[in-house]
Amino acid sequence: MGYGIRLLVWGEFACFTRPEMKVERVSYDVMTPSAARGILESIHWKPSIVWKIDKIHVLNEIRFDNVRRNEVGSKIPTGNVRKAMKGEPTLLCQYASEDRQQRATLLLRNVAYVIVAHFEMTSKAGPQDSPEKHYAIFSRRARQGQCFQQPYFGCREFPAKFRLIEEDEPTPHSLHKGDKDLGWMLLDIDHEDGMNPRFFRATMKDGLIEVPPMERGLTVL
C-alpha cells in the first residue's frame, strides 16, 4: 500500500469516448478511471509503481455539446511498423490531407473532478525505490505544475489543468445531489491479460463515484 493523493483537475472540454460508438465519438457522462490514471501517469510514473484510482469526485454540472472535428480516417497498420522494425522496405507514413474526414463529437464542457488515488510498488521496484520517494516526487511535481506530457481529458486536444490538494485542505464542493446510475463504464485496460478492457457499473452518489479494484481475468460486477 502506498501513499494516497488527491488531485483537482479541470478543463474546458473533455471526451471520454464510449468504445461501443464506432463511427462518431460519444463521451461518457464523467471521467473514466482509466483516464484518471493517465492524468496521474502524465505527472509521475515509473515501472516501479502502479496507480490505483479509488474515487472520483464530479464537481461541475454534466453538460454535453456537439462539435465537428477534422480527423484522419485510418491508422498506420501495425504490420507495417513490424516490417519496418525488421528492416524490411515499407511505406511508413500517413498523409493527413489525403485521409481527412469530418466526424461529429458529443463532448463534455466545463469539467472539474477530484481524483482520489494511491500507488503500489511493483515487482520492478529496485532497492533505490521506496513509497516515500515516489510520493515526494509526485507531490513536488503536482505542486509546481510539472508533468512529463500535458495531461488531457480523453483527447489530446482537450488539455487538463491540475492542482494538488494538500492533506489539510477540504475537498471542493460538488454540485450534484442524490444518486445517479451512470451505466456500464470502462474501468481500465488489463495490460497483463492481452489488453482486455474491464468494465464496471458506475453509480454516483452526491457527486462521488467509488471505483472498484480491477480483478485480472474477471469482469467486476
Side-chain angles (χ1 to χ4, degrees):
M1 185 76 178
Y3 290 89
I5 61 93
R6 292 179 298 159
L7 190 73
L8 173 63
V9 294
W10 69 96
E12 187 176 1
F13 300 104
C15 183
F16 310 108
T17 306
R18 290 180 174 273
E20 65 269 29
M21 303 296 182
K22 296 293 186 182
V23 180
E24 310 291 358
R25 293 184 185 274
V26 177
S27 177
Y28 283 113
D29 291 18
V30 300
M31 179 168 61
T32 63
S34 62
R37 175 182 55 77
I39 289 175
L40 299 181
E41 290 180 349
S42 296
I43 299 171
H44 176 60
W45 177 82
K46 292 291 181 182
S48 54
I49 66 171
V50 58
W51 283 104
K52 305 285 186 179
I53 307 301
D54 301 315
K55 303 175 184 176
I56 295 175
H57 292 268
V58 183
L59 303 183
N60 289 354
E61 179 186 358
I62 298 173
R63 293 175 52 201
F64 285 95
D65 203 351
N66 273 297
V67 299
R68 297 190 70 84
R69 302 186 301 159
N70 290 329
E71 299 185 12
V72 292
S74 61
K75 298 184 289 186
I76 297 175
T78 54
N80 289 2
V81 177
R82 291 194 184 98
K83 290 180 182 177
M85 292 174 67
K86 294 177 181 176
E88 301 178 16
T90 306
L91 183 62
L92 196 63
C93 62
Q94 190 173 25
Y95 299 100
S97 59
E98 299 176 1
D99 196 21
R100 182 180 299 148
Q101 59 184 227
Q102 272 206 334
R103 296 175 65 185
T105 300
L106 183 64
L107 49 73
L108 296 166
R109 272 189 179 274
N110 190 27
V111 298
Y113 308 99
V114 173
I115 302 171
V116 181
H118 69 280
F119 63 84
E120 296 177 357
M121 306 303 293
T122 70
S123 59
K124 296 180 180 178
Q128 74 280 7
D129 292 304
S130 69
E132 293 80 5
K133 170 187 171 182
H134 289 286
Y135 176 74
I137 293 174
F138 179 87
S139 299
R140 173 176 50 80
R141 296 181 67 85
R143 288 190 187 103
Q144 298 178 356
Q146 296 175 330
C147 53
F148 290 103
Q149 61 179 6
Q150 176 63 50
Y152 56 89
F153 288 122
C155 299
R156 292 187 183 275
E157 304 96 303
F158 307 145
K161 302 173 184 177
F162 61 90
R163 179 177 72 80
L164 182 71
I165 299 177
E166 302 293 346
E167 292 185 10
D168 57 351
E169 186 179 351
T171 301
H173 180 67
S174 172
L175 296 177
H176 297 273
K177 297 295 181 186
D179 296 351
K180 182 175 182 178
D181 185 358
L182 300 173
W184 288 96
M185 179 182 289
L186 176 66
L187 176 60
D188 212 329
I189 303 296
D190 193 347
H191 295 273
E192 297 181 8
D193 187 24
M195 299 289 288
N196 283 324
R198 305 298 181 201
F199 295 86
F200 75 111
R201 189 78 187 210
T203 57
M204 183 170 67
K205 183 176 183 179
D206 295 334
L208 176 62
I209 301 172
E210 298 275 358
V211 180
M214 188 174 74
E215 300 290 339
R216 293 189 178 92
L218 293 173
T219 299
V220 179
L221 300 175

